[in-house]
């Protein structure tokens, strides 16, 4: 659980700071900062789920 919180905090801070550096708008930067860790978490779960379901090729 602590690892997940650290990843979310890291992703939020990087997304927020980069967005703020580009557009100088706190509201938009906060929205991007919140949306990015959510998208990262959902994308990671979908990727892990797909990777488990893929058949392995037979060895030659």
């Amino acid at each position: 659980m602590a690892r997940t919180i650290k990843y979310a905090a890291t992703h939020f801070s990087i997304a927020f700071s980069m967005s703020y550096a580009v557009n100088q708008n706190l509201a938009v930067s906060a929205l991007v900062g919140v949306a990015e860790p959510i998208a990262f978490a959902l994308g990671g779960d979908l990727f892990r789920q797909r990777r488990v379901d893929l058949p392995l090729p037979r060895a030659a």
Side-chain angles (χ1 to χ4, degrees):
M1 183 69 168
R3 183 178 177 186
T4 304
I5 292 170
K6 282 193 249 182
Y7 275 130
T10 301
H11 279 267
F12 173 81
S13 62
I14 292 171
F16 178 83
S17 60
M18 290 181 70
S19 177
Y20 187 75
V22 170
N23 65 30
Q24 300 291 310
N25 187 333
L26 284 175
V28 172
S29 298
L31 182 65
V32 170
V34 170
E36 199 278 335
I38 293 170
F40 181 78
L42 291 175
D45 286 344
L46 289 174
F47 176 74
R48 280 185 229 105
Q49 188 178 34
R50 289 281 187 168
R51 206 171 90 195
V52 169
D53 294 340
L54 291 176
L56 295 174
R58 297 191 75 157

